[in-house]
């Protein structure tokens, strides 16, 4: 068996966590390729190294003195190296970073140093070769991941080594400049490596017992999902279940490589298996509940809208012209609503309204802000009649006002719009009706 193992930030936050990671890797010879994140939070209220790096970059980019901030980052690594007795030239590494910051710094390079340095420490600790992902993970000119260019170098480079540490989160463009994925992107690196080496399993080690039915910060101690499909995972991750990056499935799909989400702090727990497809029945009617706050809705009313050919296209054209992507578009006979990210929308609000007036000649435009979207996801839902009914009676019981309902045609999910203020209450109510009441 060939396994790729990715360890998240809290799994590698300090020397004690490094020891746990070391023992997990060394206890199974199949754990051949290791993808580390940057050191995360050691305790509540602590700061992730990646966030410290972004802050340090901002100081340097503003032309201000970054010495203190950079020293605080260096200290995080020194503590780990000193406690574990690792011989890594941190002075030299930080001199290079300081020189970069004093020249013409760029943000992706700076952000990537969190993973780079943690990889250096972990490779020294494990005695495994260090491979810089700038060598093997490629991005195109637009900054998108380039599978073809990666395929041209990664498999060959890794087939030459039995064990290696490859930092997560970044790669490089053809001109050699560093490019990062979006936040949480080390999960994607792990997937790319797993695909590139034709791994049998991709283990994603984090700080919870697996992929949970819902966010543990919203519902206390939620149940674990034992088996999840790629599609369910993507729906849930996109809707806030940040335990795995929503884009981590793409490299795995073609090879059908399963992911096992595991807990570094409790390696005895079996975790969650994420697979292409499965006969395993979910434990509950629903598989999981995701959710995100911070949406705005724009409702356009116009008499006889239903018979006006091309009306929807014109509305969406205005959003496209303003560079806005939309989340959902529920519609009635004479109304058409568009849900967008509130922060993205706010600076373009007036331009969108003007554009809608110009292109669609509406009777009325109504805006609403501070909305949340909740996704109830499950491959078992389509076989079960009455799921939507149960959701809405639970929400009515909890006195949550439902603003919008959207059931995907795949019947894999039901999306519900509520006010931000009702978000936690709504998720708890849905969780209780399907999970708490079922056990
Ligand atoms: P890592 O640093 O290991 O990548 P993350 O912080 O990115 O870890 O992801 C793990 C966190 O995701 C958990 O601590 C938890 O708070 C949060 N989370 C949100 N939704 C879920 C969910 N459905 N299942 C598990 N964890 C979730
Ligand atoms: N360290 C990066 C972040 O904080 C990438 C990751 O953790 O996956 O976003
Ligand atoms: Mg993560």
């Amino acid at each position: 068996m060939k396994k790729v193992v990715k360890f998240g930030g809290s799994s590698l936050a300090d020397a004690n966590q490094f020891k746990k990671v070391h023992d997990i890797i060394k206890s199974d010879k199949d754990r051949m390729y290791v993808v580390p994140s940057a050191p995360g939070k050691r305790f509540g209220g602590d700061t992730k190294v990646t966030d410290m790096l972004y802050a340090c970059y901002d100081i340097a980019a503003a032309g201000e003195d970054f010495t203190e901030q950079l020293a605080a980052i260096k200290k995080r690594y020194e503590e780990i190296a000193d406690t574990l007795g690792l011989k890594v030239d941190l002075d030299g590494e930080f001199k290079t970073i300081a020189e970069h910051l004093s020249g013409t710094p760029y943000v992706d390079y700076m952000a990537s140093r969190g993973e780079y340095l943690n990889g250096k420490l972990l490779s020294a600790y494990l005695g495994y070769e260090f491979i810089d992902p700038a060598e093997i993970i490629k991005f195109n000119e637009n900054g998108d991941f380039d599978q073809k260019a990666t395929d041209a170098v990664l498999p060959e480079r890794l087939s030459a080594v039995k064990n290696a540490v490859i930092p997560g989160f970044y790669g490089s463009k053809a001109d050699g400049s560093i490019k990062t994925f979006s936040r949480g992107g080390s999960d994607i690196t792990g997937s790319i490596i797993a695909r590139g080496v034709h791994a049998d399993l991709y283990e994603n080690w984090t700080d919870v017992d697996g992929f949970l039915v819902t966010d543990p910060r919203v519902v206390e101690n939620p149940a674990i999902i034992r088996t999840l499909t790629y599609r369910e995972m993507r729906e849930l991750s996109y809707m806030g279940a940040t335990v795995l990056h929503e884009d981590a499935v793409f490299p795995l799909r073609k090879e059908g490589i399963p992911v096992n989400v595991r807990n570094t702090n409790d390696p005895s727990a079996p975790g969650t298996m994420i697979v292409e497809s499965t006969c395993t029945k979910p434990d509950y009617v629903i598989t999981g509940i995701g959710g995100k706050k911070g949406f705005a809705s724009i409702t356009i009313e116009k008499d006889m809208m239903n018979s006006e050919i091309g009306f929807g296209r014109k509305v969406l054209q205005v959003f496209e012209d303003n560079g806005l992507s939309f989340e959902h578009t529920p519609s009635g006979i004479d109304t058409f609503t568009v849900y967008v990210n509130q922060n993205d929308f706010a600076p373009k609000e007036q331009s969108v309204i003007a554009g809608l007036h110009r292109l669609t000649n509406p009777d009325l435009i109504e805006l609403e802000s501070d909305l949340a979207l909740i996704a109830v996801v499950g491959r078992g839902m389509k076989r079960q009649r009455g799921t939507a009914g149960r959701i809405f009676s639970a929400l009515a019981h909890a006195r949550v006002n439902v603003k919008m309902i959207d059931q995907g045609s795949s019947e894999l999910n039901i999306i519900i719009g509520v006010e931000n203020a009702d978000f936690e209450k709504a998720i708890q109510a849905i969780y209780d009706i399907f999970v708490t009441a079922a056990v």
Side-chain angles (χ1 to χ4, degrees):
M1 279 260 266
K2 203 186 281 179
K3 295 181 188 170
V4 170
V5 288
K6 178 257 167 179
F7 290 88
S10 51
S11 300
L12 289 164
D14 59 23
N16 195 34
Q17 291 299 95
F18 262 65
K19 284 183 192 159
K20 294 181 193 171
V21 167
H22 175 279
D23 293 349
I24 289 168
I25 295 168
K26 296 288 176 170
S27 70
D28 181 351
K29 64 169 182 25
D30 295 339
R31 295 183 174 136
M32 294 167 63
Y33 303 101
V34 183
V35 177
S37 286
K41 294 183 183 179
R42 295 161 292 182
F43 44 81
D46 196 16
T47 311
K48 287 173 146 199
V49 164
T50 307
D51 291 319
M52 296 171 86
L53 288 161
Y54 280 119
C56 186
Y57 170 81
D58 286 343
I59 296 169
E64 287 160 21
D65 183 9
F66 55 80
T67 333
E68 208 175 294
Q69 180 71 12
L70 192 61
I73 298 167
K74 189 175 178 213
K75 200 158 163 253
R76 292 288 305 261
Y77 291 101
E78 279 172 345
E79 270 173 18
I80 298 169
D82 292 348
T83 311
L84 301 176
L86 305 176
K87 288 191 181 40
V88 173
D89 179 17
L90 286 174
D91 288 341
E93 296 288 0
F94 275 87
K95 194 165 160 267
T96 307
I97 297 172
E99 278 165 12
H100 171 81
L101 289 176
S102 304
T104 37
Y106 63 103
V107 69
D108 283 34
Y109 172 83
M110 191 57 182
S112 74
R113 295 305 88 184
E115 273 63 18
Y116 168 84
L117 291 166
N118 230 20
K120 285 275 173 183
L121 294 188
L122 191 59
S123 91
Y125 190 34
L126 293 168
Y128 290 178
E129 184 174 342
F130 174 88
I131 296 179
D132 193 328
E135 245 189 85
I136 54 172
I137 293 196
K138 297 293 173 187
F139 288 80
N140 66 21
E141 265 170 46
N142 303 327
D144 298 321
F145 170 62
D146 188 338
Q147 184 71 61
K148 232 170 133 191
T150 301
D151 282 345
V153 282
L154 187 150
E156 200 182 319
R157 177 71 177 90
L158 289 182
S159 66
V161 279
K162 194 170 172 298
N163 297 106
V165 172
I166 309 123
F169 193 39
Y170 74 97
S172 70
K173 294 200 215 173
D175 65 4
S177 63
I178 297 291
K179 177 81 188 92
T180 67
F181 291 107
S182 58
R183 295 300 304 266
S186 297
D187 293 329
I188 308 174
T189 307
S191 294
I192 294 167
I193 305 286
R195 173 190 158 123
V197 301
H198 305 293
D200 299 287
L201 184 66
Y202 169 25
E203 289 180 346
N204 192 290
W205 292 81
T206 183
D207 61 351
V208 280
D209 273 348
F211 213 114
L212 308 171
V213 170
T214 193
D215 193 328
R217 293 163 297 188
V218 176
V219 168
E220 213 185 311
N221 205 9
I224 298 170
I225 305 170
R226 285 183 303 161
T227 310
L228 192 65
T229 64
Y230 289 164
R231 288 171 70 209
E232 289 173 318
M233 176 248 138
R234 189 161 152 73
E235 298 276 355
L236 288 169
S237 298
Y238 180 70
M239 287 299 281
T242 49
V243 59
L244 202 63
H245 194 291
E246 74 231 33
D247 292 344
V249 296
F250 295 122
L252 302 171
R253 252 189 197 156
K254 233 179 159 176
E255 298 251 332
I257 301 166
V259 187
N260 188 196
V261 178
R262 302 280 294 266
N263 190 349
T264 300
N265 304 315
D266 183 7
S268 65
T272 299
M273 288 301 293
I274 307 176
V275 295
E276 159 74 44
S277 54
T278 177
C279 298
T280 318
K281 285 222 175 76
D283 289 335
Y284 311 100
V285 173
I286 60 159
T287 302
I289 310 159
K292 280 204 282 202
K293 287 184 182 175
F295 292 96
S297 72
I298 302 93
T299 299
I300 302 113
E301 264 187 55
K302 186 178 184 186
D303 283 348
M304 305 295 287
M305 171 195 291
N306 62 327
S307 55
E308 186 177 328
I309 290 169
F311 189 86
R313 181 185 50 75
K314 288 182 205 156
V315 171
L316 296 180
Q317 179 77 49
V318 175
F319 287 85
E320 185 178 342
D321 292 347
N322 281 279
L324 288 168
S325 66
F326 62 92
E327 294 288 328
H328 290 280
T329 55
S331 62
I333 303 176
D334 294 326
T335 64
F336 191 96
T337 304
V338 183
Y339 273 72
V340 288
N341 177 296
Q342 190 166 328
N343 286 339
D344 296 344
F345 175 65
K348 295 169 175 168
E349 180 186 80
Q350 294 311 314
S351 159
V352 170
I353 293 173
L356 288 170
H357 275 288
R358 216 175 307 122
L359 267 187
T360 68
N361 193 24
D363 294 334
L364 185 75
I365 296 178
E366 229 173 35
L367 302 184
E368 202 165 345
S369 57
D370 299 325
L371 300 172
L373 292 172
I374 294 170
V376 184
V377 177
R379 61 188 183 276
M381 287 185 346
K382 74 173 156 202
R383 260 178 275 121
Q384 197 83 23
R385 246 174 290 152
T387 308
R390 287 175 74 188
I391 294 173
F392 298 115
S393 78
L395 291 176
H397 219 80
R399 301 188 174 281
V400 172
N401 181 20
V402 175
K403 297 259 169 202
M404 190 271 294
I405 305 162
D406 193 355
Q407 174 160 28
S409 46
S410 64
E411 289 187 56
L412 187 71
N413 63 6
I414 296 175
I415 309 279
I416 301 145
V418 300
E419 282 167 17
N420 275 348
D422 283 337
F423 180 74
E424 284 83 7
K425 198 164 63 168
I427 291 185
Q428 183 75 55
I430 299 168
Y431 181 84
D432 284 342
I433 196 79
F434 289 105
V435 182
T436 316
V439 288

